Amino acid sequence: MKIAVCVKAVPDTETKIAISADKKNIDYTGVRFITSPYDEFAIEEALKLKEKHTGDTTVISLGGAECTDVLRDSLARGIDAAVHLSDPDFASLDTLSTAKVLAAAIKDGGYDLVLCGHQAAGGDNSQVPAMLAELLDWAQTTMVLKLEVEGTTFKAEREIEGAHESVEGTLPAVISTQKGLNEPRYPGIKGVMAARRKEIAVKDATALGVKGAVGGDQLKVRIKEMMLPPDRPQGRKIEGDMDAQVKELVSLLHSEAHVL
Amino acid sequence: MSQSGILVFVEHRNGQLRKASIEALSEAKRRAQGQKVTALLVGSGVKGLAAEVGKYGPDNVLVADSDALSSYSTEAFTQATAEAVKKVDPRFVFAAHTSMAKDFIPRVAARLDAPCVSDVMALQQDGDNISPVRPMYSGKCWGVYEITAPLAFITLRPNVFAVGEANGSGATIEDLAVSTDKIRAKVVAVHASEGAKIELSEAAIIVAGGRGIKGPENWPVLQSLCDALGAALGASRAVVDAGWIDHQFQVGQTGKTVSPQLYFACGISGAIQHLAGMSSSKVIVAINKDPDAPIFKFANYGIVGDVLEVVPKLTSEVRKLHEHN
Ligand SMILES: Cc1cc2nc3c(=O)[nH]c(=O)nc-3n(C[C@H](O)[C@H](O)[C@H](O)COP(=O)(O)OP(=O)(O)OC[C@H]3O[C@@H](n4cnc5c(N)ncnc54)[C@H](O)[C@@H]3O)c2cc1C
Ligand SMILES: Nc1ncnc2c1ncn2[C@@H]1O[C@H](COP(=O)(O)O)[C@@H](O)[C@H]1O
């Protein structure tokens, strides 16, 4: 089985966010990049599927220099090959353009399965896997908690509000992961050493055949302005003996905040 | 003719319209500026719901009703929505940001080479364009988006947009034929999750517990408060990871994003990844024995004390309030 895993390099979730001077992005000064948390489940699932069915795994990341460490991290966990999609044209892509570049990198690769996180931390869009499936004209399912692959079919369980859905489909497919699918392994020292020696293939817009087709004028949506959320109102700690505090809280929620 | 008006995908489950979809439809009415609003229902045996949808004021309700649509499949719902877009030629397509919408709305957008802006919390009117505002970096900042395409998909965060009055009656109802011959993956069964009485992402009030509740044997203490308030139970990741409760209850960056009117954080420290999931709650109450717990910086009201002492008192005080009203 040939599996591709799409992995995004994102600012560490602990990062304190500041807005850049032009207000169109966050300020990346001093930001540490990590593998987007849901993508770790996708990497782990690829490794498990390979262990079970044998096969070949490739990790793909679109972005700038920050992708290199993230790709090496995937290799260190045991992924066989890494591809970096990198081009000045790929700066600030919207989700549709991102999916178009990923689709170009995947379509002739002979893959049976593409695994993604269901949502990349930061942009928090939850869009790329479904767009990618459409552009490849493949089956898909998203936010899976369980996955079994047998021959050319898959069975998955996906989470919806208050219920789980069992989904059955055929390969090739794009599948996105939800927390609970597996417990990601962390790279061991041997893996890290081996990953250092592996080569990361780099492909640009021309090599991918998307020159002029994504980014720039092709963007259909862009960020006009970024801002910090309004401060939450100054909170207040209630004082007094516990019975009085609880009474006052309920009364405030009722008559001041109007939420009870 | 140029693209105009708004098409709204209306979701239903077990014969009932989803509240979040009614919110999206109501917002479309407020944003249409006199242009046409069309609602889309997709399923099997759903014609009966069209009149109910009509009450929220769309000009037209399109109904894609066939056996092949009785269970969800990404491809059939994509096809139905794409057909509806072709027929209506709208400027925007709205849907509630639910698990279903996350699964197929971006796919429709890609099919029509249109952009999608998801999990939107506010819409700024910009002439006859709309600039969606959405949280990014788990709510640590917001982005205002500019749409530069003639057609755009927008999914709205549940519980944020107000439901309009249900006093409309003039909607015309029309069938939409959908070809469903290319379905390569589909839902074969739906299992209700055990335990959850009220769905977290739609709840108006949430009572969430963290490590400060001491152990899983104390969930009934929080559940009693939930019952008194008609609230849903939530949890921090620490207690999910400890195996005290299932992941479906987790609020935060790797759990659910919620926007209730009222959120009780009980014995939860207020880590940034927890705040990511609940900081858009209207009112936050923190109960924590540590006066310096970070959660107090985000809470509207705080009580410094032991959850296991405070919560039972709170439960009986809430019951008293309800008896008096
Ligand atoms: C990538 C990533 C993703 C994450 N995603 C999430 C997520 O989705 N959701 C999430 O919640 N966390 C998430 N976390 C974890 C997060 O960082 C915190 O570890 C977690 O939220 C802590 O849970 P807690 O507040 O229950 O526990 P603690 O941090 O241990 O806090 C317990 C609190 O209870 C108080 N307390 C103790 N005893 C009592 C008592 N008797 N009465 C009252 N108060 C008491 C303590 O003062 C303390 O403030 C994530 C972390 C990472 C790295
Ligand atoms: N730049 C990227 N490079 C590789 N994969 C990506 C990229 N952006 C998104 N993805 C994949 O798509 C998933 C969902 O991303 P999003 O739709 O942006 O929330 C991620 O978890 C990744 O698996």
Side-chain angles (χ1 to χ4, degrees):
Chain A
M1 184 161 42
K2 204 164 173 211
I3 305 173
V5 187
C6 298
V7 166
K8 188 171 181 186
V10 300
D12 190 334
T13 55
E14 301 278 351
T15 307
K16 189 152 183 346
I17 299 293
I19 307 296
S20 66
D22 70 357
K23 297 201 175 157
K24 303 230 185 270
N25 213 325
I26 63 163
D27 182 354
Y28 287 110
T29 320
V31 168
R32 193 176 81 96
F33 284 86
I34 59 166
T35 301
S36 182
Y38 292 110
D39 299 352
E40 292 191 26
F41 304 120
I43 296 166
E44 179 62 31
E45 202 60 18
L47 294 172
K48 284 174 67 177
L49 285 168
K50 181 182 165 174
E51 283 159 11
K52 189 160 171 206
H53 300 280
T54 71
D56 184 57
T57 52
T58 302
V59 64
I60 302 174
S61 190
L62 182 168
E66 70 281 2
C67 295
T68 310
D69 283 350
V70 158
L71 288 166
R72 289 226 184 275
D73 177 69
S74 294
L75 293 172
R77 290 177 204 233
I79 297 285
D80 302 308
V83 183
H84 184 185
L85 312 179
S86 172
D87 195 291
D89 287 5
F90 298 167
S92 308
L93 293 189
D94 58 17
T95 48
L96 186 55
S97 281
T98 300
K100 285 177 182 174
V101 179
L102 290 172
I106 290 165
K107 72 175 192 303
D108 299 323
Y111 296 103
D112 304 293
L113 178 63
V114 173
L115 291 165
C116 293
H118 85 80
Q119 173 174 314
D124 298 349
N125 288 300
S126 267
Q127 295 178 15
V128 169
M131 289 178 159
L132 182 57
E134 173 64 21
L135 297 171
L136 293 167
D137 191 17
W138 289 7
Q140 70 166 81
T141 189
T142 52
M143 303 178 83
V144 309
L145 295 165
K146 269 191 199 153
L147 180 61
E148 274 172 48
V149 177
E150 219 38 81
T152 56
T153 62
F154 71 86
K155 286 186 184 169
E157 214 169 282
R158 72 181 295 265
E159 188 177 86
I160 61 171
E161 296 82 3
H164 288 183
E165 289 176 336
S166 303
V167 178
E168 291 183 9
T170 54
L171 301 180
V174 178
I175 294 181
S176 79
T177 58
Q178 169 63 302
K179 187 190 171 212
L181 176 63
N182 54 42
E183 276 303 324
R185 72 193 71 182
Y186 290 93
I189 189 79
K190 254 172 76 187
V192 173
M193 300 300 283
R196 271 196 211 148
R197 290 189 300 271
K198 281 196 184 160
E199 202 172 320
I200 295 177
V202 181
K203 291 189 180 171
D204 65 9
T206 309
L208 291 163
V210 295
K211 192 81 196 160
V214 298
D217 292 347
Q218 298 300 318
L219 291 179
K220 294 171 188 296
V221 65
R222 59 187 96 221
I223 293 182
K224 196 158 66 171
E225 190 184 347
M226 278 177 83
M227 58 185 99
L228 296 177
D231 284 336
R232 290 198 63 91
Q234 181 69 45
R236 100 176 219 213
K237 278 190 199 135
I238 300 167
E239 319 245 306
D241 84 74
M242 200 47 80
D243 286 321
Q245 282 195 42
V246 169
K247 266 202 174 63
E248 188 180 347
L249 174 64
V250 170
S251 141
L252 286 166
L253 293 174
H254 178 63
S255 359
E256 183 180 273
H258 307 293
V259 287
L260 278 189
Chain B
M1 210 189 83
S2 79
Q3 288 150 303
S4 75
I6 304 175
L7 174 71
V8 185
F9 173 79
V10 177
E11 197 175 325
H12 53 85
R13 179 115 55 96
N14 303 328
Q16 300 225 301
L17 302 178
R18 295 289 295 271
K19 176 168 169 275
S21 294
I22 300 173
E23 293 164 7
L25 179 54
S26 304
E27 184 63 15
K29 271 302 278 183
R30 290 188 287 267
R31 292 292 162 184
Q33 300 194 307
Q35 294 181 348
K36 204 166 144 186
V37 173
T38 307
L40 170 65
L41 271 171
V42 180
S44 162
V46 293
K47 273 210 184 98
L49 287 171
E52 175 75 15
V53 172
K55 289 186 190 159
Y56 295 93
D59 300 282
N60 195 2
V61 185
L62 286 179
V63 185
D65 195 317
S66 85
D67 288 346
L69 298 167
S70 65
S71 64
Y72 174 74
S73 72
T74 313
E75 287 157 292
F77 278 58
T78 297
Q79 184 63 24
T81 307
E83 298 279 356
V85 171
K86 273 185 213 138
K87 186 176 166 78
V88 176
D89 206 16
R91 171 80 184 85
F92 299 105
V93 180
F94 284 8
H97 191 61
T98 60
S99 301
M100 187 189 279
K102 285 183 212 176
D103 189 73
F104 87 96
I105 292 286
R107 186 159 186 151
V108 191
R111 183 166 299 180
L112 302 171
D113 203 31
C116 182
V117 185
S118 48
D119 199 16
V120 167
M121 283 185 62
L123 297 169
Q124 291 179 356
Q125 199 76 40
D126 196 358
D128 59 3
N129 204 354
I130 288 176
S131 300
V133 183
R134 60 184 299 273
M136 300 176 73
Y137 295 89
S138 318
K140 286 190 256 182
C141 61
W142 290 3
V144 184
Y145 281 65
E146 180 187 0
I147 293 167
T148 51
L151 165 70
F153 289 73
I154 297 177
T155 66
L156 308 181
R157 179 176 284 199
N159 259 342
V160 171
F161 296 89
V163 167
E165 274 184 54
N167 53 10
S169 60
T172 53
I173 296 171
E174 204 178 326
D175 287 332
L176 180 74
V178 178
S179 106
T180 49
D181 44 12
K182 196 172 166 194
I183 298 175
R184 292 160 295 186
K186 66 165 192 270
V187 171
V188 293
V190 181
H191 317 274
S193 308
E194 274 172 38
K197 293 189 185 166
I198 297 174
E199 166 50 30
L200 257 184
S201 57
E202 292 167 5
I205 305 180
I206 292 170
V207 176
R211 203 137 43 185
I213 72 157
K214 294 282 177 273
E217 66 280 7
N218 292 320
W219 287 120
V221 177
L222 298 201
Q223 188 58 54
S224 300
L225 179 58
C226 287
D227 294 343
L229 289 162
L233 188 65
S236 73
R237 168 159 161 187
V239 297
V240 171
D241 286 354
W244 298 359
I245 194 165
D246 190 75
H247 174 251
Q248 60 170 303
F249 293 93
Q250 183 180 317
V251 173
Q253 184 167 335
T254 42
K256 293 199 167 117
T257 303
V258 297
S259 302
Q261 293 289 302
L262 177 56
Y263 189 93
F264 289 90
C266 306
I268 291 178
S269 57
I272 188 88
Q273 297 93 350
H274 188 79
L275 296 169
M278 46 66 83
S279 59
S280 65
S281 305
K282 184 169 172 234
V283 173
I284 297 170
V285 174
I287 301 165
N288 196 303
K289 70 171 187 193
D290 174 7
D292 297 323
I295 189 74
F296 285 118
K297 291 204 197 74
F298 299 89
N300 302 68
Y301 305 106
I303 289 186
V304 178
D306 185 336
V307 244
L308 299 177
E309 182 196 348
V310 177
V311 172
K313 287 186 198 293
L314 197 52
T315 306
S316 68
E317 207 54 43
V318 168
R319 290 222 176 89
K320 272 192 230 160
L321 176 78
H322 288 165
E323 280 159 22
H324 290 295
N325 288 291

